[in-house]
Amino acid sequence: MVKVLGRKQCIKNEEWIKALQKISRLVSKEELGQLVLHTVEEIKKNTDGKKTAYAWSGGKDSLVLGEICHMAGITDCVLVVCNLEYREFMEWTEKNRPEKLAVINTGQDMEWLAAHPGMLFPQDSRAASRWFSIVQHRGQARYYKQEHLDMMLLGRRLADGNYVGSGSNIYTDRQGITKYSPLSGWAHEHVLAFIYYYGLELPPVYKWKNGYLCGTHPWPARQWTGCAENAWAEVYGIDSSIVHYAARYFKSAETFLGTLK
């Protein structure tokens, strides 16, 4: 493998796109095949006799995770959303959802957002991580408990700076949820190579501005914008109806729309 991508936070969006365009020169099909085989065998060993499911967000890592899990015989999965998702993304998930996908909605809506204005367009990683806590983590915990799971498989990777446990890629959090990250050692190039060689369809978010940096997310969780005006402009370019609706609740959205007149 030829590595051209570093830590996620330091990679420019266009670098992701260029890497995918030449991925067959960076990772051979044979190398990827060996990695896939090893990962599938590790999953089988670590989940043997356990009731398991995987988290599916529609993002690139979860798409790869889903295919790998299916190879290992794990088909149950969960998507966690709220009421502040992009319409085009939700339409894509409906068309491309795994067969045994459960959907949990944690309920955050525009009224909730107006009551928590600090959650609008977070400008630092700490604020952004709160979105994962109140949506993905909360919804996954709900699904884990209602399905009486023994383990939840996640698409977390060390190359993204994610915590995956100490050594084994398996750990149990404070809520008693055992999490397993079988792709933890995969490089960015491995993920892109899987998408290329297996012909996976990416969601529309990766065609939007800074799609590889932002990933899948509720629209108010959009990062890397610099300021609210830029954020509204980016959201407007994706779905203008969101901004028109938000203008009823946020002066900054109303002000942005005024600049278009």
Side-chain angles (χ1 to χ4, degrees):
M1 179 186 68
V2 178
K3 293 192 70 172
V4 296
L5 300 172
R7 290 183 71 84
K8 180 179 179 179
Q9 293 78 2
C10 302
I11 308 171
K12 296 180 180 179
N13 197 71
E14 55 267 27
E15 293 176 325
W16 283 101
I17 297 172
K18 291 178 181 178
L20 181 57
Q21 291 172 342
K22 61 180 180 181
I23 196 62
S24 63
R25 302 200 301 271
L26 303 179
V27 181
S28 70
K29 191 172 184 179
E30 292 71 24
E31 177 188 350
L32 179 70
Q34 293 176 2
L35 178 60
V36 168
L37 180 61
H38 172 75
T39 305
V40 170
E41 291 304 313
E42 284 294 303
I43 291 175
K44 289 181 178 179
K45 181 178 68 174
N46 289 323
T47 62
D48 184 39
K50 297 179 174 64
K51 186 175 183 181
T52 60
Y54 65 91
W56 190 84
S57 68
K60 56 181 175 54
D61 295 320
S62 84
L63 291 175
V64 175
L65 176 67
E67 294 295 321
I68 295 289
C69 282
H70 279 236
M71 294 177 190
I74 299 172
T75 56
D76 290 335
C77 52
V78 62
L79 167 66
V80 183
V81 297
C82 66
N83 293 316
L84 296 167
E85 306 290 342
Y86 293 101
R87 178 176 55 188
E88 186 179 358
F89 171 69
M90 292 307 296
E91 291 173 350
W92 181 90
T93 62
E94 188 59 32
K95 293 178 181 178
N96 295 275
R97 56 184 291 161
E99 182 179 353
K100 299 185 71 175
L101 179 74
V103 179
I104 288 184
N105 190 319
T106 53
Q108 292 80 10
D109 56 16
M110 195 70 79
E111 286 74 19
W112 177 91
L113 186 62
H116 300 82
M119 296 297 290
L120 179 64
F121 306 134
Q123 295 301 312
D124 60 71
S125 58
R126 183 177 181 180
S129 67
R130 292 180 61 197
W131 275 105
F132 289 99
S133 296
I134 65 174
V135 180
Q136 280 81 14
H137 296 172
R138 186 177 298 174
Q140 289 169 8
R142 185 189 306 172
Y143 176 78
Y144 187 99
K145 293 174 181 178
Q146 74 181 29
E147 296 299 320
H148 306 288
L149 297 180
D150 298 313
M151 181 181 289
M152 172 78 76
L153 281 74
L154 306 174
R156 294 177 179 174
R157 296 183 297 113
L158 292 169
D160 282 337
N162 292 322
Y163 178 73
V164 299
S166 54
S168 65
N169 304 325
I170 301 173
Y171 73 98
T172 302
D173 67 16
R174 295 178 181 178
Q175 299 184 65
I177 299 172
T178 300
K179 300 178 178 180
Y180 173 32
S181 303
L183 306 183
S184 64
W186 283 44
H188 301 309
E189 291 82 0
H190 290 140
V191 171
L192 295 181
F194 192 101
I195 291 168
Y196 171 74
Y197 288 120
Y198 284 83
L200 302 188
E201 180 181 343
L202 290 172
V205 298
Y206 294 103
K207 298 177 183 178
W208 302 339
K209 183 175 181 179
N210 287 333
Y212 283 90
L213 299 181
C214 294
T216 57
H217 60 284
W219 65 261
R222 192 165 188 79
Q223 293 182 267
W224 319 104
T225 61
C227 65
E229 183 178 0
N230 291 342
W232 288 124
E234 291 180 18
V235 173
Y236 188 89
I238 297 168
D239 186 345
S240 61
S241 68
I242 292 175
V243 185
H244 283 287
Y245 182 46
R248 305 178 191 178
Y249 298 86
F250 293 97
K251 183 65 177 179
S252 58
E254 181 182 3
T255 300
F256 168 76
L257 291 175
T259 67
L260 303 179
K261 297 178 181 179

